[in-house]
């Protein structure tokens, strides 16, 4: 047996984990117990913080099968560790669907047989057999069960685990489960509830207080109490209590909000089918996969994921997508090719009702209930997965946070040096052991700033408030900093760049093998009886909700252009007639031509006083993003046969039509409209065989109907660009932020819109990469079409490479369709990065392809933003570093950010605030680091004379200076425009390290200077209570003796302490002002009045007490009186210190080094050729830059991000971009000339 057995669970999925098995070990547990007692419980805390150590320290390895405890580690870049306890469950079977398998092996027909009886018999078999013991564990609200067959733990999601076909769901799962089988399955799936438990305040408090930061605080407070720093310790305890209380309130509020959002409709009463005929009322918590539920006519909020098997529903999915357009869901196909496919929730989402979505109304027929089979329950549902992602978020992968920990480790290292220095110094001065321990530990508490985490989050909290003011809501505040690093934004087209609604520009009908002239009015009388208008009137998914037409905006425009009326049957009407009463569309009475109105409708449809223009919609095949089309089967009043009408993307519709019915000028006409940016939809019609009955139509697959169609013509819709679009895109372009369009629309329409809104400029050409998969002996290939260019670039124009975008500022862009994208990903992986770098238009992209594209862009180190309407973009919005959903909902779980403004002006706002928050985080971090080091230097120097800072000195520095400054310096609002370079993403970068190190050196030099200088003064003596340096005389000097005060055993009051206190107090303020930068990412500090007021007040107070000492304040701060001349000297030294700090930060770093060394890494444009040194100034700059680059080890430094590598490779590739009318084959990836296209 393997002792170190490791298995992988959730293989290939996002939450893939490695798992090891362990059993408790007695001797290890005894050792840990002893260690915990000796360390005062610190060892237990360490094992609590580090689950890996906790398990390995108390257990020994075992096989997974025999394990009592499991150690889990995620396989992503974060490598998080978790521990889980293994439980044992007794059940009559090993798998949830065992009973069902036995049942189907008996080949029971799905008729009126007593299924209950069979299930009872089945349960009887189980009770006689030996019950199985099943090992399982729970992790992140998900249960994993041991499987002996695969020797690993597995997850049961639901009905999909059986890999059943759509037809099988109808034949084997449409009758419902017996109570016994339902109870058996519940053992595995648990209650159908997305349980967001709101932890008690006590539990939250314990969890919060056990944070390493607060434990360190507690340690510090105990230490300070030993040193008699009671006031300071009390202040820190008070601050920590406020911090903990605020944190608890926020966490509790989030839990309650999430609980209320989930619990509002998580438990409802449902009608469940037990066997074929029995329907009983049950609680939704009792549902398990395989149960059949009845959807009531007046709708409901879905308590689970279920697939429709009978009837159809109109659903509002805004909870999941953020878009509140009603969607029609139809029954799962039971025959044909589609029915043979395995049921997949993503592929069959048009037939699936998702948990948490609202069924507005159902379409049911007499004697036919609307039924759905439960597919998933609880946390396995789509909604459950969303809630899980909120409850257990992945750590934010951002360099700033990783670097912050490294920086803290450096501070701990500095503290270690101080620790050793203090011990050595104290031993040499024969200081008591107790004092040595306390003082050496004290230096550690000084070096790691206690207010750092609170100060770091302040900037993000302020940014979140400012975003809320401009209508941008955020559910993931940590991502605000990430927005500051965005260098590429993908935009959806319809409803994002362009207006949501479409205006009907006109129609163009096909007549024979040509098009008739365009017509603007589809409602004129001469067209009422035409198949074209009939198709416009009935080929849609509109429905009436409370008397109002509702549905897709495009369908609404198209239908309203006909002027027809839609009527839906009432409950009474469907009950009266045994055959179905369909939805009917008819023209308004005043335009109906005379016709025989007494024609009886076949199949007993008795409709009186209607015209022959009335059309009943018999079956609907909803619009599918993958198929890019929708169709309906209808019957016109008085006709025996049925008709099929189809609408969709012109290229798709034309391929489904008989070729002789498609006009010869189809391609040219389509291009004419799409080049102008019109959205074009094609219509087609087919007369079905008269022998087709209604029941037969209900079971036909759409593939059989959507073929051999007759082409009817084109609908031309005008999709206007939003007013704000062009301006925002221009602003992003100026800021060197790349913009892409990712749309489901036609290629040429998308290119036209890209040109109109400035994404592709007039003089730039677009190369369409048309990729086709391999066919027979032909390998996969890409044909490169160059679209026409409206304007040519002048020869004299110089081309530059923009290294921030990682792309040449050349006059070309690629455009790729979804089909081509799939082929390139599969057959041309070596080209995908090159294309990703220069493709601006992605057309006909399916929702999952949008997500795939975001991943490709992230793989070449872009920081990607995604802006869409939330409907088809959910995956991409979540996957992007920053997803912005344009939605009216205040907060949508569909994306981290939701904007209530329905245009893209929110994108620059978000980036500006992100940049401001990021720079604020850097400012605060640098300030807090300097505060620690300045205080560390003061204390270290004072330790050398066996002195220290006083209780109230610490209190004044930490509360009056640091706390006020740290929280007010974060208030600078964002700068009003986006500049062309981004803030650094890392603390471990040249400019930031230079800034911090130079300020540390400056502070150290001036502190050491005054420390040594004070001892050289003529009036200096070792201070005693009798000393009076302010009124110094020779007699007092001669009488000075080493008298120690019984009240000042810690030697706080002395000249060195007073001098260092004054100088260090001003140093804190100086570095705060130096680090609190404004332009180009934040508003100038003088506009941040709380910060300026604080600085002025503190400067004034310190100068006042320095130059005009007040005995009461001196006594409170434990400072001694020094001569007036020395005070003036200190003021001059402080002024010189401030000047040096400003010169180093503003002049040396921001002007000289930034321009000559660091700028290149920030993405500022570099010429493709080395600049010629034409002038002495340029020569000096060139020489200076070369020397400083060498000095800072940046000479020939390779670019740090992948997309710049790719850009430089492309620059050296003579065959890139491909020439017009060439073909690239997958086999040899060489361009081969073909006939001109």
């Amino acid at each position: 047996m393997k002792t170190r057995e490791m298995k992988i669970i959730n293989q290939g999925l996002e939450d893939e984990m490695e798992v090891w098995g362990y059993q408790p070990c007695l001797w290890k547990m005894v050792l840990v117990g002893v260690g915990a007692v000796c360390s005062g419980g610190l060892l237990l805390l360490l094992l609590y913080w580090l689950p890996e150590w906790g398990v390995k320290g108390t257990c020994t390895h075992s096989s997974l099968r025999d394990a009592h405890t499991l150690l889990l580690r995620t396989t992503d870049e974060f490598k998080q560790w978790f521990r889980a306890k293994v439980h044992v469950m007794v059940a009559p079977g090993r798998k949830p669907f065992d009973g069902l398998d036995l049942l189907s092996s008996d080949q029971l027909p799905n008729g009126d047989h007593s299924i209950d009886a069979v299930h009872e018999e089945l349960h009887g078999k189980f009770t006689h057999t030996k019950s199985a013991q099943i090992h399982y564990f729970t992790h992140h609200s998900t249960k994993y069960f041991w499987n002996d067959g695969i020797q690993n733990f597995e997850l049961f999601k639901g009905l999909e685990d059986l890999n059943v076909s759509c037809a099988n769901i109808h034949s084997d799962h449409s009758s419902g489960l017996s109570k016994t089988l339902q109870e058996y399955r519940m053992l595995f799936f648990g209650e159908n509830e997305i349980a967001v438990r709101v932890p008690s305040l006590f539990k939250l408090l314990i969890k919060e207080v056990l944070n390493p930061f607060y434990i360190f605080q507690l340690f510090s407070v105990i230490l300070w109490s030993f040193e008699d720093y009671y006031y300071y310790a009390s202040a820190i305890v008070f601050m920590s209590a406020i911090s903990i209380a605020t944190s608890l309130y926020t966490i509790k509020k989030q839990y309650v909000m999430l609980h209320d959002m989930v619990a509002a409709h998580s438990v409802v009463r449902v009608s469940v089918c037990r066997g074929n005929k029995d329907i009983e009322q049950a609680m939704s918590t009792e549902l398990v996969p395989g149960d059949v539920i009845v959807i009531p006519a007046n709708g409901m909020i879905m308590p689970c994921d279920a697939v429709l098997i009978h009837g159809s529903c109109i659903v509002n999915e805004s909870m999941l997508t953020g878009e509140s357009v009603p969607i029609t869901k139809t029954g799962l196909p039971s025959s044909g090719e589609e029915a043979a496919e395995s049921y997949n929730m993503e592929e069959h989402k048009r037939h699936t009702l998702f948990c948490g979505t609202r069924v507005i109304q159902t379409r049911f027929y007499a004697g036919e209930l609307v039924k759905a089979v439960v597919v998933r329950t609880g946390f396995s549902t789509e909604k459950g997965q969303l809630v899980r992602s909120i409850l257990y978020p992945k750590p934010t992968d951002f360099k700033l946070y990783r670097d912050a920990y490294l920086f803290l480790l450096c501070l701990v290292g500095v503290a270690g040096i101080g620790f050793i220095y203090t011990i050595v110094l104290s031993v040499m001065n024969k200081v008591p052991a107790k004092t040595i321990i306390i003082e050496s530990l004290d230096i550690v508490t000084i070096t790691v700033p206690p207010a750092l985490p609170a100060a770091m989050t302040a900037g993000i909290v302020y940014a979140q408030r400012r975003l809320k003011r401009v209508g941008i809501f955020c559910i993931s505040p940590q991502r605000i900093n990430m927005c500051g690093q965005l260098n590429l934004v993908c935009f959806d087209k319809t409803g994002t760049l362009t207006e949501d609604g479409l205006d009907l520009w006109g129609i163009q009908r096909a007549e024979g093998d040509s098009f008739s002239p365009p017509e603007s009015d589809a409602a004129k009388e001469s067209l009422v009886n035409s198949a074209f208008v009939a198709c416009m009137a009935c080929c849609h998914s509109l429905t009436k909700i409370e008397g109002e037409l509702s549905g897709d905006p495009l369908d609404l425009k198209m239908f309203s252009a006909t002027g027809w009326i839609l009527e839906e049957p009432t409950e009474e009407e469907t009950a009266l007639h045994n055959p179905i009463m369909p939805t009917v569309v008819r023209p308004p009475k005043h335009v109906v031509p005379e016709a025989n109105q007494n024609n009886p409708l076949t199949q007993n449809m008795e409709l009186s006083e209607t015209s022959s223009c009335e059309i009943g919609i018999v079956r609907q095949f909803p619009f599918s993003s993958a198929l890019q089309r929708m169709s309906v089967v209808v019957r016109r009043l008085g006709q025996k046969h049925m008709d099929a009408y189809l609408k969709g993307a012109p290229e798709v519709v034309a391929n489904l039509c008989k070729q002789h019915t498609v006009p010869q000028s189809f391609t040219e006409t389509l291009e004419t409209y799409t080049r102008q940016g019109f959205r074009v939809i094609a219509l087609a019609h087919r007369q079905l065989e008269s022998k087709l009955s209604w029941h037969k139509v209900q079971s036909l697959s759409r593939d059989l109907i959507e073929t051999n169609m007759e082409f009817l013509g084109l609908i031309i819709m005008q999709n206007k660009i939003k007013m704000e679009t062009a301006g925002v895109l221009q602003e992003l372009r100026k800021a060197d932020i790349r913009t892409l369009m990712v749309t489901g629309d036609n290629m040429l329409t998308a290119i036209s819109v890209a040109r109109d809104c400035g994404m592709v400029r007039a003089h730039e050409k677009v190369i369409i990469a048309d990729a086709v998969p391999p066919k027979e002996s032909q390998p996969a290939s890409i044909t490169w079409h160059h679209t026409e260019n409206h304007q040519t670039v002048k020869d004299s124009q110089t081309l530059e490479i923009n290294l921030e975008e990682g792309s040449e500022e050349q006059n070309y862009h690629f455009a790729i369709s979804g089909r081509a994208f799939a082929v390139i990903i599969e057959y041309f992986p070596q080209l995908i990065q090159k294309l990703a770098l220069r493709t601006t238009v992605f057309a006909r992209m399916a929702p999952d392809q949008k997500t795939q594209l975001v991943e490709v862009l992230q793989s070449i180190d872009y920081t990607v933003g995604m802006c869409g309407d939330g409907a088809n973009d959910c995956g991409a919005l979540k996957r992007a570093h920053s997803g912005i959903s344009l939605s009216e909902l205040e907060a949508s779980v569909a994306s981290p950010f939701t904007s209530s403004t329905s245009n893209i002006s929110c994108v620059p706002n978000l980036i500006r605030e992100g940049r401001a928050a990021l720079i604020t985080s850097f400012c605060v971090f640098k300030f807090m680091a300097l505060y620690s080091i300045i205080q560390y230097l003061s204390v270290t120097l004072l330790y050398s004379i066996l002195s220290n800072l006083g209780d109230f000195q610490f209190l004044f520095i930490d509360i009056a200076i640091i706390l006020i400054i740290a929280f007010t310096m974060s208030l600078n609002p964002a700068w009003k425009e986006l500049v062309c370079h981004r803030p650094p993403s890392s603390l471990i970068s040249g400019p930031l390290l230079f800034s911090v190190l130079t300020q540390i050196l400056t502070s150290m030099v001036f502190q050491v200077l005054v420390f040594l200088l004070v001892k050289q003064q003529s009036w200096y003596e070792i201070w005693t209570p009798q000393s009076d340096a302010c009124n110094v005389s020779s007699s007092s000097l001669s009488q000075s003796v080493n008298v120690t005060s019984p009240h000042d055993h810690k030697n706080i009051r002395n000249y060195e302490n007073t001098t260092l206190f004054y100088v260090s107090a001003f140093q804190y303020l100086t570095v705060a002002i130096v680090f609190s930068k404004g332009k180009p990412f934040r508003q100038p500090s003088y506009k941040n009045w709380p910060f300026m007021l604080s600085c002025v007040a503190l400067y004034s107070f310190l100068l006042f007490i320095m130059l005009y000492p007040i005995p009461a304040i001196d006594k409170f701060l434990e400072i001694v009186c020094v001569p007036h001349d020395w005070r003036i000297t200190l003021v001059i030294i402080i002024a010189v210190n401030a000047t040096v700090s400003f010169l180093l930060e503003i002049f040396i770093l921001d002007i000289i080094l930034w321009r000559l060394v660091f700028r290149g890494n920030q993405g500022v444009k570099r010429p493709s050729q080395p600049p010629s040194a034409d002038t002495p100034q340029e020569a000096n700059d060139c020489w200076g830059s070369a020397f400083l680059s060498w000095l800072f080890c940046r000479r020939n430094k390779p670019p740090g991000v992948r997309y710049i590598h790719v850009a430089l490779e492309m620059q050296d590739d003579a065959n890139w971009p491909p020439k017009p009318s060439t073909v690239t084959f997958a086999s040899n990836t060489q361009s081969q000339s073909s006939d001109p296209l």
Side-chain angles (χ1 to χ4, degrees), residues 466 911-921 972-974 1081-1082:
R466 288 194 295 269
I911 296 172
R912 274 198 297 270
E913 285 297 348
R915 288 179 172 188
L918 186 54
I919 285 296
T920 299
S921 294
N972 289 36
F1081 303 117
R1082 305 196 307 166

Side-chain angles (χ1 to χ4, degrees), residues 910-934:
L910 187 59
I911 296 172
R912 274 198 297 270
E913 285 297 348
R915 288 179 172 188
L918 186 54
I919 285 296
T920 299
S921 294
F922 284 130
C923 290
V924 170
F925 198 92
K926 283 159 65 180
F927 173 65
M928 296 303 281
L930 256 292
Y931 140 66
S932 294
I933 296 294
I934 291 168

Side-chain angles (χ1 to χ4, degrees), residues 491-517:
F491 291 97
D492 181 32
K493 184 179 78 71
T494 311
T496 305
L497 297 173
T498 59
E499 295 288 352
D500 224 345
L502 294 155
D503 296 319
L504 185 77
W505 180 85
I507 60 171
Q508 194 154 12
R509 294 181 297 132
E511 289 182 352
D513 60 352
S514 63
F515 280 109
S516 63

Side-chain angles (χ1 to χ4, degrees), residues 37-317:
V37 171
C38 296
S39 63
L42 278 176
L43 181 63
L44 288 179
L45 274 173
L46 196 65
L47 299 183
Y48 168 76
W49 292 329
L50 302 166
E52 181 194 5
W53 292 16
V55 173
K56 289 180 178 176
T58 55
C59 304
T60 52
H61 274 283
S62 75
S63 67
L64 282 179
R65 197 182 190 290
D66 306 319
H68 286 220
T69 302
L70 299 175
L71 190 59
L72 308 161
R73 185 175 70 177
T74 59
T75 56
D76 56 18
E77 66 272 32
F78 304 109
K79 304 286 184 210
Q80 284 180 285
W81 291 93
F82 301 97
R83 67 184 294 166
K85 190 171 171 56
V86 178
H87 301 276
V88 179
M89 172 178 91
V90 178
R94 290 202 165 270
K95 288 191 175 183
F97 299 106
D98 275 357
L100 199 62
D101 291 342
L102 284 170
L103 191 67
S104 57
S105 67
D106 292 342
Q107 294 181 346
L108 279 161
N110 194 25
D112 292 335
H113 301 279
S114 174
I115 261 176
D116 273 18
V118 180
H119 284 326
E120 292 299 335
E121 186 186 327
L122 198 67
H123 185 67
K125 286 179 195 171
F126 279 144
T127 49
H128 293 307
T129 57
K130 190 182 175 185
S131 291
Q133 286 197 333
I134 303 163
H135 291 237
Y136 73 94
F137 72 94
T138 306
H139 174 68
H140 284 178
S141 304
T142 306
K143 275 185 181 178
Y144 296 85
F145 294 89
W146 178 255
N147 182 331
D148 270 327
I150 59 170
Q151 286 293 297
N152 198 356
F153 286 94
E154 64 179 340
L155 164 69
F156 298 125
K157 282 189 175 177
L159 207 58
E160 283 172 293
D161 296 340
L162 285 174
N163 207 16
V164 285
S165 67
C166 300
N168 273 6
I169 289 180
H170 277 277
S171 59
D172 300 340
H173 300 271
S174 59
S175 307
L177 304 176
S178 69
K179 192 74 180 158
T180 310
L181 198 50
Q182 178 261 332
E183 283 168 1
Y184 168 63
R185 284 192 188 174
M186 194 176 264
L187 291 173
F188 294 89
F189 293 107
E191 285 197 339
N192 171 34
E193 192 181 6
I194 301 167
V196 179
R197 309 265 180 250
V198 179
S200 66
L201 273 174
F202 180 72
K203 269 189 184 174
L204 282 175
L205 179 69
I206 296 298
K207 196 175 177 185
E208 189 69 15
V209 168
L210 291 182
N211 181 312
F213 166 69
Y214 288 118
I215 296 297
F216 182 72
Q217 291 273 50
L218 181 68
F219 164 72
S220 305
V221 164
I222 293 167
L223 195 68
W224 296 327
S225 301
F226 274 116
E227 289 187 276
D228 300 336
Y229 287 135
Y230 299 120
Y231 292 105
Y232 183 59
S234 306
I236 293 296
V237 167
F238 179 68
M239 279 163 54
S240 297
I242 290 173
S243 175
I244 290 169
T246 311
S247 183
L248 287 183
Y249 172 75
T250 311
I251 295 167
K252 181 93 173 173
K253 190 178 168 187
Q254 284 174 341
Y255 268 113
V256 170
M257 189 177 78
L258 189 61
H259 176 269
D260 292 349
M261 186 178 90
V262 174
H265 36 70
S266 63
V267 182
V268 290
R269 288 199 76 79
V270 286
S271 301
V272 184
C273 299
R274 298 272 178 237
N276 264 357
K277 299 292 180 191
D278 298 337
I279 293 175
E280 66 175 44
Q281 292 293 306
M283 297 307 292
S284 59
T285 48
E286 296 169 22
L287 294 176
V288 293
D291 267 328
V292 175
I293 57 171
V294 177
I295 313 291
N298 58 350
M300 66 187 295
I301 289 171
M302 289 301 295
C304 58
D305 289 348
V307 60
L308 266 178
I309 51 169
H310 294 305
S312 60
C313 296
I314 290 145
V315 184
N316 182 335
E317 292 190 336

Side-chain angles (χ1 to χ4, degrees), residues 984-1142:
S985 62
S986 167
L987 280 167
I988 317 295
S989 66
L992 281 146
L993 286 177
F994 177 85
S995 170
V996 169
L997 292 173
T998 51
Q999 294 302 328
I1000 288 173
L1001 283 171
T1002 307
S1003 302
M1004 185 170 76
V1005 166
F1006 280 95
Q1007 283 203 37
V1008 171
L1009 176 72
V1010 294
F1011 184 75
L1012 296 175
L1013 209 56
V1014 71
K1015 292 183 176 182
Q1016 306 303 317
Q1017 302 306 304
S1018 57
W1019 47 265
Y1020 176 80
E1021 62 174 351
I1022 294 171
W1023 190 88
T1024 66
Q1026 288 73 38
S1027 298
D1028 189 6
C1030 295
N1031 304 305
V1032 68
S1033 65
S1034 56
S1035 60
S1036 66
L1037 277 171
S1038 61
Q1039 291 167 4
S1040 70
V1041 286
N1042 284 347
V1043 183
T1044 53
S1045 164
H1047 302 293
D1048 193 21
H1049 63 277
K1050 285 158 72 181
N1051 189 23
I1052 303 294
R1053 295 162 71 87
N1054 56 57
Y1055 298 121
E1056 291 92 335
N1057 170 293
T1058 300
T1059 302
L1060 283 175
F1061 172 74
Y1062 282 139
V1063 172
S1064 65
F1066 279 102
Q1067 281 181 341
Y1068 298 125
L1069 290 172
T1070 301
V1071 294
I1073 294 167
V1074 164
F1075 287 156
S1076 189
K1077 292 176 185 173
K1079 278 176 69 177
F1081 303 117
R1082 305 196 307 166
Q1083 296 278 3
S1085 288
Y1086 62 77
K1087 288 193 176 180
N1088 178 356
W1089 66 263
F1091 176 67
M1092 291 311 294
L1093 201 67
S1094 305
C1095 288
V1096 169
L1098 285 165
Y1099 260 115
S1100 305
F1101 175 75
L1102 286 167
L1103 276 171
F1104 183 76
I1105 64 166
M1106 241 182 94
L1107 298 173
Y1108 306 101
I1110 298 165
I1113 292 175
D1114 284 2
K1115 188 181 178 185
F1116 177 77
L1117 290 174
E1118 296 182 86
I1119 50 182
V1120 298
C1121 192
V1122 290
H1124 193 263
D1125 292 349
W1126 180 238
R1127 293 170 191 275
I1128 300 296
T1129 309
L1130 283 181
V1131 170
I1132 293 165
I1133 290 169
I1134 285 161
V1136 174
N1137 183 353
T1139 308
V1140 171
S1141 288
F1142 274 97

Side-chain angles (χ1 to χ4, degrees), residues 593-637:
E594 287 299 317
N596 178 12
Q597 298 191 4
N598 299 321
N599 242 351
L601 195 67
T602 54
Q603 295 193 2
N604 302 329
M605 276 197 179
E606 295 171 5
L607 297 170
S608 59
E609 297 178 11
T610 56
S611 79
S612 61
C613 285
E614 281 196 8
I615 298 171
I617 301 169
V618 176
R619 178 135 193 236
Q620 203 180 74
F621 296 100
F623 176 78
S624 157
S625 300
L627 300 174
Q628 297 176 358
R629 63 181 188 261
M630 80 160 289
S631 59
V632 289
V633 177
V634 303
R635 170 174 273 136
R636 193 182 279 264
L637 182 66

